Amino acid sequence: RVRRGWYRTAGAPVRAVEAGGALTCGSALRLQGVWTMPDPRLHVRIARGVDHRPAEGIRIHWADRRQDHGFPMDGIPDALSIALGCIDLRAAAVALDSALNRRLLTRADAERICTTPRGRRVLALADPDAESGLETIARLALRRLRLRVRSQVRIDGVGRVDLLIGDRLVLELDGESWHDRPGDFEADRRRDRALVAAGYLVMRASYRQVMREWPEIERQVLAVARRGR
C-alpha cells in the first residue's frame, strides 16, 4: 500500500501518489512519449484541501479538481495545459511541437489548450514538422537571428534534412540515441556527400553540442550567412 486507498503495481508513479496527487506537467508528458527539456523535478497535481506530503524534488501544482479514479497521471491535454503555466516558453514550444509531430495531440486540441496570452505565443511558434526537441530549440534560436529556417525539408536524391537555413545551409542534429544505431554513421556520411555534391553546405551537431555549446554553433552559422553563402 502506498497510501490509503492506493496500492502499487510495477511501473506505477509511486512518489506522486505518496505526495497525495497525480503526475502532471512535464513528468506526465515525458512518460507518454512527448519530447521534453531536462527537468529533475517530479511534477504532481494535488487538489486543494487534500492531505499531502511535501518532499524534496517535487513541484506541486494545486488544482481545484480532485484526483480521478484510475491511473494517477494526467493525460497529455491536461498535462500540457499545466505545463504552459510552469515551464519556460522554449520548453513549452518543444513539448507542443513533439506532441503534434507524434500525433499525440491534434491542432484542434492545441488551440483549445493554448487560450491564455502565453499559450497563444507558444501556439504561434508551433511547427508539427519538427521531429525532435533539438530541431525546435535550434529553429527558435536561429529565427531570433532573423534567419529563414525550415524543418524537415525534402531534397531530391537525399531525402529530408532536419533544418534548412536560407536556401543552402543544412543543419543536421544527432539526438541522444544516435550512437546506438551504428548503421546511421555510414548513412549520414553518404547523405552529407550527396548534399555537398548537390550544392548544399552541411553542418552537423550532437545533442550535447546543441544543449551546451549553442553559442558556438550560432557563431558558425552566422559566419556562413554573413559571407553570403
Side-chain angles (χ1 to χ4, degrees):
R1 190 174 81 164
V2 179
R3 58 184 285 136
R4 185 177 179 181
W6 288 93
Y7 297 82
R8 72 172 296 172
T9 59
V14 174
R15 289 184 64 210
V17 176
E18 286 177 338
L23 279 183
T24 192
C25 194
S27 301
L29 293 172
R30 192 174 305 113
L31 276 186
Q32 294 173 83
V34 176
W35 207 105
T36 59
M37 297 289 285
D39 185 349
R41 302 171 297 174
L42 190 75
H43 293 258
V44 180
R45 172 178 56 79
I46 300 179
R48 302 182 198 282
V50 168
D51 179 34
H52 69 288
R53 303 174 190 173
E56 186 177 352
I58 290 182
R59 166 74 162 90
I60 294 176
H61 296 272
W62 295 106
D64 293 328
R65 64 186 175 92
R66 288 185 173 273
Q67 184 174 318
D68 303 324
H69 293 294
F71 199 68
M73 178 169 68
D74 281 343
I76 289 173
D78 287 336
L80 184 59
S81 179
I82 287 177
L84 288 172
C86 173
I87 58 182
D88 64 41
L89 195 71
R90 182 180 69 163
V94 164
L96 181 57
D97 274 5
S98 176
L100 290 171
N101 178 265
R102 298 179 184 187
R103 299 185 180 180
L104 301 172
L105 198 71
T106 67
R107 178 75 187 193
D109 291 333
E111 289 172 354
R112 283 193 293 270
I113 294 165
C114 300
T115 56
T116 64
R118 193 163 186 272
R120 288 192 289 271
R121 286 183 66 195
V122 173
L123 187 61
L125 297 172
D127 182 352
D129 290 331
E131 292 192 346
S132 77
L134 290 184
E135 288 179 34
T136 303
I137 292 166
R139 184 187 81 244
L140 296 179
L142 293 169
R143 284 184 177 170
R144 283 198 299 271
L145 302 175
R146 300 180 183 274
L147 294 171
R148 182 164 60 96
V149 186
R150 290 172 286 164
S151 302
Q152 294 299 314
V153 176
R154 183 169 293 280
I155 295 175
D156 290 342
V158 177
R160 291 183 301 172
V161 298
D162 291 339
L163 295 174
L164 181 61
I165 306 164
D167 295 320
R168 294 202 302 144
L169 178 56
V170 171
L171 179 59
E172 295 278 44
L173 306 167
D174 300 326
E176 286 181 286
S177 61
W178 174 82
H179 61 277
D180 295 329
R181 304 190 301 269
D184 286 355
F185 183 90
E186 301 294 337
D188 286 345
R189 272 125 194 92
R190 206 171 291 120
R191 279 166 52 89
D192 290 352
R193 292 197 308 272
L195 284 165
V196 172
Y200 291 88
L201 301 170
V202 182
M203 287 186 175
R204 188 171 290 277
S206 68
Y207 174 89
R208 183 183 181 281
Q209 289 166 346
V210 172
M211 299 299 287
R212 299 186 185 182
E213 302 171 13
W214 180 256
E216 180 182 353
I217 297 171
E218 197 170 273
R219 285 194 298 271
Q220 292 166 344
V221 168
L222 282 174
V224 173
R226 285 168 180 158
R227 288 200 298 271
R229 300 183 66 196

